[in-house]
Amino acid sequence: MKTDSKFQRMVVPEVQQQMVEFLWEGKPYKAVAGDTIAVALLAAGVDHTRESPISGTPRAPFCMMGSCFECRVEVNGESNVQACMNLIEDGMSIQRQNS
């Protein structure tokens, strides 16, 4: 089954976007300032943010409004951060959620 993200950023050429840098699993990426962590990860091509503790299946942002909790990640050492409810910040270190 193909799991590539269908997420595509709408680009408005006349709008200058400020960029921030973050680390995903130790690898550097750039994101648009003001994006949520979930949007930044989807735009970077990340296909999942955690695995189900029961079945081990990959999980990823789904509802994008904080209801489903599928987008949980570890941010700067803090677990259970909802990626869809928190803005990306310059220098963030983000990891897959382990539980």
Side-chain angles (χ1 to χ4, degrees), residues 25-87:
E25 302 275 298
K27 185 175 175 186
Y29 290 92
K30 292 187 183 216
V32 176
D35 280 353
T36 64
I37 296 169
V39 167
L41 293 174
L42 290 170
V46 172
D47 64 353
H48 70 285
T49 55
R50 66 183 191 91
E51 284 92 24
S52 167
I54 297 169
S55 66
T57 58
R59 312 307 287 172
F62 180 69
C63 74
M64 300 300 280
M65 62 182 200
S67 295
C68 72
F69 293 86
E70 295 293 354
C71 65
R72 288 177 292 152
V73 291
E74 182 180 300
V75 178
N76 299 331
E78 180 183 345
S79 297
N80 294 315
V81 175
Q82 282 183 274
C84 71
M85 299 301 291
N86 292 277
L87 296 180

Side-chain angles (χ1 to χ4, degrees), residues 10-18:
M10 295 178 66
V11 178
V12 181
E14 56 275 354
V15 175
Q16 183 72 340
Q17 296 175 324
Q18 182 181 358

